[in-house]
Every structure is written in structure tokens, then in C-alpha cells.
């Protein structure tokens, strides 16, 4: 098995692990709330839980991903820098057949811990399944060698069983048990011919009750689920509860037939005392470990002994599905950018299996922020392929994938390819509101080519495609006319602000550009008021970063990291076109190696500048902070002021 396969299996096991804990915990809570209801109702809940454990991986493969939100917390020390427009850099995608200019870094080996965990899990599954299979083979041999006996047709019919149930006799001290799926049978000891009629009847009733309830099938289902989750203590707890409630539910059916509780309890005690125990695969009448609780329940006249009706069972199954589907779709936070080919392959396989192009888009964004455009391009190409294979070439999802790839190309200077991809996306979504972002992208490409008239046409089309969310197209339309004084440009800014939600990032960006427009036309007081509203919005939009464990703050004996070298952030093409100015705050954890880790935007500015800020900070190097003479990881805020020359 390759490293990418190991990674994929390990990730699936990790996801299945915490989800199985959630399922078992919900089932335990549900059965606790149902303690006043019948044993049959509680057994049904445990059966649904084991079925859910088997279905979860399948649903995780087929459902779109739903990611957990990131928890935010506080940060510390501040560095400042001023970024000014620099000559744009371009990224040229690799051409098939071309020789690489430099050898890629060798792929790192998969951590041994993951290999051992996957191997240990596989051995455990094999062990439990092998034990189950061996027990099944032995029971099949016992049945095959047993002597046919009289079939209790009337007893079976009294329980609503209309198919043929075989009864066979084994050796003298074999515990009575039911066995078989397609052709179930009840195995009785040969000594049962010497039992009185009452004992023989209650034993047959109990085993027939298992057949009537479908316990032979659900027993095997739960056993297989237990094999896959053998390492989870909650699964073994659930297994014991499942067995206990099943036997009590069968007891309730026997008592409902008119059997006296005291006589039934006496027969069970005698059978448990004189008979050999049966294998775990068999559904035996009296296991000593369960007997005490069962006897108490049998003799308790106040216990509910009903069975769930079809409506109640259907409602419980529906509720389980409603809980299971979002749980299966739920993923941990999207992973960081893959760094090796094996990691890239594993990420792509995971996205394909889960039909989750968003996973690839998120990883591509991380790769972009870490100055790895080649990896980002591979991931975005794979995202387009996943969208095409999963949803079709005419689907909105496929068009969104093309648009994302176009955004990447435009931001990396490949305007011709970006134009082609935007055109394809806009064509697929023609006449739909979803076409507006692609049309806006075409307008930005035209602006990059200094074709303001063509750009204005695309922005106008974007506005017409989605009039309710036309704030940014109108803002860009105003930018294209910003050289001209007059009411028309101001009207466009006002229309954009009216459409954008107050407090949103788009509202802040439009306000900042509008403030600059006002200042340029000698309306400083109005511009200052608009700019202050924009800054208040930016502050409100700011977030607290997710801090890693073991990170220090400067002060109280912890020295601040010292900046050794930095790469100045570049203006994005969007910000350059908009002639935008603003301030971004970036959170980073300066490790003992002097390298920034866990880089996040605390207060962003938009227009593609946030990605440029992270990309630059990722290349900064520091002298690490110290505590008691030892280097430690220290929090830092990096303030980047974007200013025009």
C-alpha cells in the first residue's frame, strides 16, 4: 500500500473514530431517556446505532463535505511594514512534455505511527471477523449433525411466524439456541425430551421470539460493526447493552404469551446451571452474565413489555437518518496545503471519494498562501475534474470550478487563460444569477488589458445578471469611470452601497473606494466620515485567531522574536486596478526555528491583498523568542499598510 493510500485510510479511520463516539453517545442517551419504555424499544435504538456505524463510511464517501468552524482565541506582539505596488509577477503553468528546471523535493515518508495504526486496526478487524467466522462454522456443523425433531408449528404461529422453522436436537448439555439466516433453526439439547411440557414450551417460545423479532439478522449486523470498531470501548459497551436488551425483549414476548414469571425464572436458572454456554455467534437462551438482571426484570410486574409499533419504529429510523446524514457529511477543518506528491494524491482521492471539490479548493487556497502555486494549480485542476465527474459538464458546480481556476490564473498574471475559463463559466451559466462573478472576472481581465470600455460592458452585464447582488460590479463600474469627475461615478458608488449589506466586507471595500473618490474631489469631511464607517466595519469583521497549544505571549520573561529578514508583500492586480489602500493585520506563531507558523488573517482588506499578505509573511524569518534561556514559540501580529506610491 502506497503512502497516499495509507494517508487516505488513516484519515477515514480518524473520521470514523470520532463519529462512532458521537453515535454511541447519542444511542446511550436515547436509551437512558427510554428507561421507562420496553426492552424492545431500547434494543431497536442499539440496532439503529450499529447500523449507523456501518453506513457512516459509505455516506461519508457520497455526501458533500461540511466543515467544522474554527475556534478563535487571542494573540500578542506586533510588527509593522508598508507595502507599495511592485512589478507584477506571473506564474506560468507547467507544459506537458517540458523538462523541469529543478528537481522537486523528495517526498517525505509517511510517519511510521500512521502505518502502525492502520496495520493494528486491520489486524483487530481481521481478528474479530475471524473469531466470528470460526464460531459460525462450528455452529453450522452442530446444526448439520443434529437430529431433526418435531416442529412447533402452533407455537410459531402464535408469535406471528408463518415460515418453516426447523427444530433439531444436539448433545445432552448443549445450551438451547437459535441459528441461521435464510433457514433459521432452533437447536435443543437431546435431554429436552425428558423436560416437562412447560419447560420445553417456554424454551421454544424464547428462541422462536428471537426469530420473530429478526434477532438472528441484527445479531450478525452488530457483530460486523463491532469488528470494525473493536478499538472503541463505547462499541463494546453498546454490544453488551444490545445483547441484554435483546434477551429481555424476547423474555417479554414469552411472558406476553401467558407464561408465569416465577415459573419462567425457575426454568432459566435451571438451564443456566446445567447446560454448557453457547458461542458468541449463537443466540442462546440463558447466559450467566445476563441472568441476574433478566430475572429481576422477569419478576417485576411494573415493567413495560410492549413492542414498538410500525409508526414509532419508522419515526425512530427517520430521526436516525436526520442525525446521521449531517454527521456523515461533517469533516474536521480543511487540511493545510499538501506538500508532497503523495499528500496531493491522497487529498485528491479523498475529495473524489467524498465528492467534495470544496476540499480541494480549500487546500489550493492554503497552497497559494504558502507560495506554492504549482500545487495550488494541481488541486484546482483536480477540483474541476471532480465537479465534472460528480455533477456533469453542464452543472453549475462545474462552472464554479472553472471560475475558481480562472481566478487563480488572473491573480497569477495568466490573463488570457483566465479570460477563456471565465468565458466558459459565463456561457454555462448564461441567464442565471450565478454567471455574475464570471462576468465580473471578465471585466477585471479587460481592465488588466487597459480596455476600460470592454470592462465596463462586462460589469454592466454582471449587474444585469444578478441585480440583487450587484454591489461589487457597480463598484468596479465606478472604478472604471473614476478618472472623470461628476455625478455618474458617485451615483454608482451610492447604488453599490445600497445593495451591499452594511457590515459586510464588500460594504467596507466600496466605502473605502468611495471615500478616496470624495477626497480626490475636495470633499474631505464627507470622505473622512465614510472612511471611518469603513474602518468600523473592518474592525467588526476582524476575528480572533485559532491559537496552537503551547504558544507564549511576549512579556513576563518571554522575549519578543527579532525580525531577521522579510519579503515585502506585493499588491494584487485587483488592488492595483482599484488603486486601493488599506491595512491588514496578520497573526503568526514564530516557532523555535524562526519560521512563522499557523498564519491567519486577523483583520483583512480584500481585493486579493489578504492572500498576498499571508504569502509574504510565510517567507519572513525571525530570531525566535526566548524564555528562561530557551527558544520558545511566541505569538505575533504583523500589520501591513498598503499604500500607493
Amino acid at each position: 500500500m502506497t503512502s497516499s493510500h495509507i494517508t487516505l485510510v488513516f484519515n477515514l479511520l480518524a473520521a470514523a473514530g470520532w463519529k462512532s463516539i458521537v453515535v454511541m453517545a447519542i444511542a446511550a442517551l436515547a436509551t437512558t431517556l427510554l428507561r421507562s419504555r420496553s426492552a424492545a424499544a431500547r434494543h431497536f435504538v442499539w440496532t439503529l446505532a450499529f447500523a449507523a456505524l456501518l453506513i457512516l463510511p459509505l455516506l461519508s464517501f457520497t455526501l458533500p463535505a461540511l466543515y467544522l468552524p474554527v475556534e478563535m482565541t487571542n494573540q500578542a506582539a506586533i510588527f509593522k511594514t508598508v507595502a507599495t505596488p511592485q512589478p507584477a509577477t506571473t506564474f506560468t503553468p507547467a507544459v506537458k512534455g517540458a523538462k523541469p528546471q529543478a528537481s522537486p523535493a523528495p517526498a517525505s515518508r509517511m510517519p511510521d505511527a500512521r502505518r502502525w495504526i492502520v496495520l493494528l486496526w486491520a489486524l483487530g478487524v481481521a481478528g474479530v471477523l475471524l473469531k466470528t467466522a470460526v464460531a459460525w462454522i462450528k455452529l453450522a456443523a452442530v446444526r448439520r449433525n443434529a437430529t431433526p425433531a418435531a416442529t412447533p408449528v402452533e407455537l410459531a404461529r402464535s408469535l406471528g411466524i408463518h415460515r418453516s422453522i426447523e427444530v433439531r436436537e444436539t448433545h445432552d448439555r448443549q445450551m438451547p439456541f437459535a441459528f441461521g439466516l435464510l433457514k433459521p433453526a432452533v437447536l435443543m439439547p437431546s435431554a429436552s425430551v425428558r423436560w416437562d411440557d412447560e419447560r420445553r414450551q417456554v424454551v421454544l417460545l424464547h428462541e422462536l421470539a428471537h426469530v420473530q423479532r429478526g434477532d438472528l439478522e441484527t445479531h450478525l449486523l452488530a457483530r460486523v460493526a463491532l469488528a470494525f470498531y473493536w478499538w472503541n470501548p463505547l462499541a463494546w459497551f453498546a454490544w453488551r447493552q444490545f445483547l441484554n436488551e435483546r434477551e429481555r425483549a424476547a423474555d417479554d414476548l414469552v411472558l406476553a404469551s401467558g407464561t408465569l414469571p416465577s415459573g419462567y425464572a425457575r426454568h432459566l436458572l435451571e438451564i443456566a446451571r446445567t447446560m454448557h454456554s453457547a458461542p458468541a455467534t449463537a443466540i442462546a437462551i440463558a447466559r450467566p452474565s445476563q441472568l441476574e438482571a433478566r430475572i429481576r426484570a422477569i419478576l417485576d410486574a411494573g415493567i413495560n413489555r410492549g413492542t414498538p409499533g410500525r409508526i414509532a419504529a419508522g419515526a425512530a429510523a427517520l430521526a436516525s437518518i436526520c442525525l446521521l446524514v449531517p454527521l456523515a457529511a461533517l469533516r474536521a477543518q480543511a487540511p493545510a496545503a499538501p506538500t508532497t506528491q503523495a499528500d496531493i494524491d491522497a487529498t485528491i482521492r479523498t475529495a473524489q471519494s467524498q465528492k467534495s471539490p470544496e476540499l480541494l479548493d480549500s487546500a489550493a487556497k492554503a497552497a497559494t498562501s504558502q507560495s506554492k502555486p504549482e500545487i495550488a494549480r494541481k488541486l484546482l485542476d483536480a477540483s474541476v475534474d471532480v465537479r465534472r465527474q460528480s455533477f456533469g459538464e453542464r452543472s453549475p458546480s462545474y462552472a464554479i470550478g472553472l471560475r475558481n481556476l480562472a481566478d487563480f490564473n488572473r491573480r497569477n498574471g495568466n490573463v488570457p487563460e483566465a479570460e477563456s475559463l471565465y468565458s466558459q463559466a459565463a456561457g454555462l451559466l448564461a441567464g442565471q444569477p450565478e454567471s455574475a462573478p464570471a462576468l465580473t472576472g471578465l471585466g477585471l481581465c479587460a481592465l488588466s488589458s487597459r480596455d476600460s470600455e470592454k470592462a465596463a460592458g462586462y460589469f454592466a452585464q454582471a449587474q444585469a445578471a444578478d441585480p440583487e447582488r450587484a454591489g461589487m460590479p457597480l463598484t468596479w463600474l465606478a472604478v472604471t469611470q473614476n478618472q472623470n469627475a461628476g455625478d455618474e461615478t458617485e451615483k454608482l458608488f451610492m447604488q453599490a452601497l445600497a445593495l451591499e449589506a452594511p457590515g459586510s466586507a464588500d460594504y467596507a471595500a466600496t466605502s473605502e473606494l468611495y471615500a478616496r473618490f470624495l477626497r480626490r474631489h475636495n470633499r474631505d469631511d464627507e470622505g473622512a466620515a465614510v472612511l471611518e464607517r469603513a474602518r468600523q466595519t473592518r474592525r467588526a469583521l476582524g476575528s480572533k485567531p485559532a491559537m496552537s497549544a503551547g504558544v507564549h505571549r511576549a512579556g513576563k520573561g518571554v522575549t519578543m522574536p527579532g525580525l531577521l529578514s522579510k519579503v515585502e508583500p506585493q499588491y494584487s492586480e485587483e488592488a492595483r486596478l482599484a488603486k486601493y489602500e488599506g491595512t491588514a493585520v496578520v497573526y503568526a506563531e514564530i516557532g523555535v526555528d524562526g519560521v512563522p507558523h499557523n498564519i491567519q488573517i486577523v483583520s483583512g482588506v480584500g481585493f486579493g491583498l489578504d492572500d498576498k499578505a499571508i504569502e509574504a509573511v510565510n517567507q519572513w524569518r525571525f530570531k525566535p523568542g526566548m524564555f528562561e534561556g530557551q527558544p520558545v514559540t511566541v505569538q505575533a501580529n504583523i500589520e501591513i499598510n498598503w499604500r500607493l506610491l
Side-chain angles (χ1 to χ4, degrees):
M1 186 179 288
T2 65
S3 294
S4 60
H5 288 110
I6 292 288
T7 300
L8 177 59
V9 174
F10 179 84
N11 290 340
L12 290 174
L13 289 179
W18 70 265
K19 290 177 183 179
S20 69
I21 292 173
V22 173
V23 169
M24 292 295 101
I26 292 174
L29 177 62
T31 53
T32 300
L33 295 175
L34 292 173
R35 57 183 177 273
S36 63
R37 305 297 295 272
S38 66
R42 293 188 295 274
H43 179 262
F44 186 66
V45 171
W46 287 118
T47 301
L48 289 175
F50 279 114
L53 292 184
L54 289 178
I55 295 172
L56 263 175
L58 178 62
L59 290 180
S60 295
F61 277 133
T62 56
L63 292 174
L66 176 65
Y67 290 106
L68 288 169
V70 178
E71 182 184 356
M72 295 300 187
T73 171
N74 286 326
Q75 74 278 15
I78 296 179
F79 297 86
K80 295 184 179 183
T81 188
V82 177
T84 57
Q86 302 291 328
T89 59
T90 61
F91 165 68
T92 304
V95 179
K96 291 184 178 179
K99 293 183 179 180
Q101 298 298 313
S103 299
S108 61
R109 295 180 60 83
M110 181 64 56
D112 288 340
R114 291 190 177 186
R115 290 184 182 276
W116 283 111
I117 289 172
V118 171
L119 178 60
L120 182 62
W121 170 80
L123 289 174
V125 172
V128 177
L129 289 178
L130 180 61
K131 182 179 179 180
T132 302
V134 169
W136 189 275
I137 292 171
K138 287 182 178 179
L139 290 175
V142 170
R143 172 179 175 167
R144 189 167 53 251
N145 296 325
T147 304
T151 301
V153 176
E154 294 303 321
L155 278 180
R157 287 180 178 173
S158 70
L159 292 175
I161 303 173
H162 299 290
R163 57 175 170 166
S164 175
I165 306 296
E166 192 178 33
V167 175
R168 286 177 169 264
E169 293 182 354
T170 63
H171 61 78
D172 270 1
R173 300 192 64 187
Q174 174 66 63
M175 179 79 69
F177 66 91
F179 175 75
L181 295 177
L182 298 178
K183 294 181 179 180
V186 175
L187 283 297
M188 300 282 286
S190 56
S192 63
V193 297
R194 297 189 294 275
W195 292 350
D196 58 46
D197 291 343
E198 181 184 15
R199 178 175 297 180
R200 185 175 177 85
Q201 178 170 311
V202 297
V203 170
L204 286 171
L205 270 173
H206 181 92
E207 299 305 327
L208 289 171
H210 285 308
V211 176
Q212 188 269 339
R213 285 172 31 81
D215 290 339
L216 300 171
E217 294 82 2
T218 58
H219 182 92
L220 187 60
L221 178 146
R223 190 71 184 178
V224 171
L226 181 66
F228 282 91
Y229 296 88
W230 63 268
W231 47 268
N232 187 343
L234 281 178
W236 289 98
F237 169 79
W239 170 252
R240 290 191 295 272
Q241 297 302 311
F242 171 85
L243 297 181
N244 292 339
E245 300 295 0
R246 182 189 68 196
E247 293 307 316
R248 289 179 58 180
D251 292 340
D252 290 342
L253 283 179
V254 174
L255 295 173
S257 69
T259 302
L260 290 176
S262 57
Y264 184 41
R266 186 180 70 253
H267 292 312
L268 288 180
L269 285 170
E270 183 64 19
I271 291 170
R273 185 181 66 83
T274 59
M275 299 292 167
H276 294 307
S277 61
T281 309
I283 301 183
I285 187 172
R287 296 185 186 276
S289 61
Q290 304 168 343
L291 207 54
E292 182 179 351
R294 284 177 63 189
I295 294 299
R296 287 201 304 267
I298 288 169
L299 298 177
D300 188 346
I303 282 183
N304 184 333
R305 304 190 190 279
T307 57
R310 291 184 178 180
I311 295 178
L318 181 61
S320 299
I321 293 172
C322 292
L323 288 171
L324 189 61
V325 168
L327 180 62
L330 202 61
R331 310 283 190 269
Q333 188 65 26
T339 56
T340 67
Q341 189 60 49
D343 291 338
I344 294 170
D345 292 342
T347 303
I348 292 172
R349 286 194 183 95
T350 301
Q352 289 172 336
S353 66
Q354 297 174 357
K355 295 184 179 180
S356 176
E358 295 83 7
L359 176 63
L360 294 167
D361 296 338
S362 179
K365 184 177 181 180
T368 298
S369 68
Q370 295 175 24
S371 305
K372 298 171 183 174
E374 294 84 1
I375 292 177
R377 176 62 188 251
K378 289 180 181 179
L379 294 168
L380 289 172
D381 282 337
S383 174
V384 172
D385 288 339
V386 170
R387 292 173 187 274
R388 181 178 61 247
Q389 294 168 9
S390 301
F391 309 108
E393 290 189 356
R394 305 298 301 175
S395 67
S397 178
Y398 179 63
I400 290 171
L402 293 174
R403 189 192 72 207
N404 291 342
L405 188 55
D407 288 339
F408 171 83
N409 279 281
R410 178 176 56 78
R411 288 168 182 165
N412 285 277
N414 195 346
V415 174
E417 185 172 352
E419 259 188 310
S420 175
L421 291 166
Y422 280 134
S423 296
Q424 292 180 59
L428 289 171
L429 298 169
Q432 302 179 45
E434 291 80 4
S435 65
L439 292 167
T440 301
L442 285 170
L444 293 173
C445 288
L447 270 186
S448 296
S449 302
R450 304 186 185 282
D451 191 339
S452 298
E453 185 176 348
K454 186 177 180 182
Y458 281 126
F459 295 139
Q461 289 181 51
Q463 176 198 1
D466 192 1
E468 294 183 1
R469 287 181 287 274
M472 285 311 294
L474 285 168
T475 297
W476 281 112
L477 196 56
V479 168
T480 63
Q481 300 177 357
N482 210 4
Q483 299 299 324
N484 304 319
D487 295 336
E488 186 176 351
T489 300
E490 182 172 8
K491 181 179 178 182
L492 290 170
F493 276 124
M494 296 299 291
Q495 288 176 341
L497 289 171
L499 289 171
E500 290 163 351
S504 67
D506 286 350
Y507 183 86
T510 300
S511 297
E512 288 161 343
L513 294 177
Y514 181 39
R516 180 172 60 84
F517 168 84
L518 292 172
R519 290 198 306 270
R520 287 184 58 206
H521 292 86
N522 301 316
R523 297 164 65 180
D524 292 342
D525 291 343
E526 294 176 76
V530 172
L531 184 60
E532 180 56 30
R533 287 200 301 270
R535 288 174 175 170
Q536 290 176 0
T537 301
R538 291 290 187 198
R539 286 193 290 269
L541 289 170
S543 60
K544 295 180 180 179
M547 186 179 68
S548 303
V551 179
H552 295 74
R553 294 187 183 185
K556 296 184 179 179
V558 178
T559 63
M560 285 183 57
L563 182 62
L564 298 177
S565 65
K566 67 177 181 178
V567 173
E568 295 294 349
Q570 295 184 0
Y571 253 78
S572 66
E573 183 64 14
E574 287 178 50
R576 193 194 314 275
L577 294 171
K579 298 180 175 60
Y580 178 79
E581 294 182 329
T583 300
V585 178
V586 180
Y587 169 85
E589 295 166 359
I590 312 306
V592 296
D593 54 1
V595 176
H597 301 278
N598 192 23
I599 304 171
Q600 304 169 52
I601 293 292
V602 175
S603 178
V605 289
F607 292 104
L609 293 176
D610 295 343
D611 288 340
K612 293 294 184 182
I614 294 177
E615 179 182 330
V617 171
N618 192 59
Q619 301 175 70
W620 289 23
R621 294 298 177 262
F622 296 81
K623 177 183 177 181
M626 306 291 287
F627 179 66
E628 296 182 350
Q630 297 295 322
V632 292
T633 301
V634 179
Q635 305 173 48
N637 279 345
I638 299 171
E639 185 179 289
I640 299 175
N641 296 288
W642 306 92
R643 295 291 179 263
L644 295 169
L645 292 173

